Amino acid sequence: MADTNEYAATFDLVDSDDDQRISAGELSRLMEVLGSPITAEQAEAAVRGIDSDGDGLISLEEFTAYMRSAAGRN
Ligand SMILES: [Ca+2]
Ligand SMILES: [Ca+2]
C-alpha cells in the first residue's frame, strides 16, 4: 500500500482547479472551509514552507514529503 495515494486524495481535494498544484489561494480557501481562515500572507508563508523547488506552488511530491514529515513529528 503506497501512502502517496492516501495523500493524493487529500491533495486532489485541496487542488480545486485540478492543475496538480496547490496555490496559496487554494490553501487559503481550504482553511476557510475548515473553519480556520488564514490571511493571504499566512497562506503564502505556508506554501513557501512546503514548496521545496521554489516555484511558488505545492506539487503532490512536495505535499507528500510535507505530510510524511508532519506525521513523523508526533
Ligand atoms: Ca491548483
Ligand atoms: Ca513547488
Side-chain angles (χ1 to χ4, degrees):
M1 182 164 74
D3 54 1
T4 300
N5 292 340
E6 175 189 334
Y7 297 126
T10 309
F11 185 89
D12 284 346
L13 282 178
V14 183
D15 178 24
S16 48
D17 66 1
D18 290 326
D19 67 351
Q20 306 305 311
R21 297 287 185 276
I22 294 173
S23 63
E26 285 169 341
L27 191 65
S28 148
R29 260 197 306 281
L30 170 75
M31 294 312 287
E32 208 175 314
V33 167
L34 292 178
S36 313
I38 56 175
T39 65
E41 286 77 15
Q42 287 172 316
E44 277 161 27
V47 167
R48 272 199 301 276
I50 300 171
D51 176 25
S52 54
D53 67 2
D55 67 355
L57 297 165
I58 302 168
S59 64
L60 176 58
E61 201 173 52
E62 289 164 346
F63 183 74
T64 302
Y66 173 78
M67 292 304 278
R68 281 192 181 140
S69 70
R73 226 169 267 148
N74 280 314

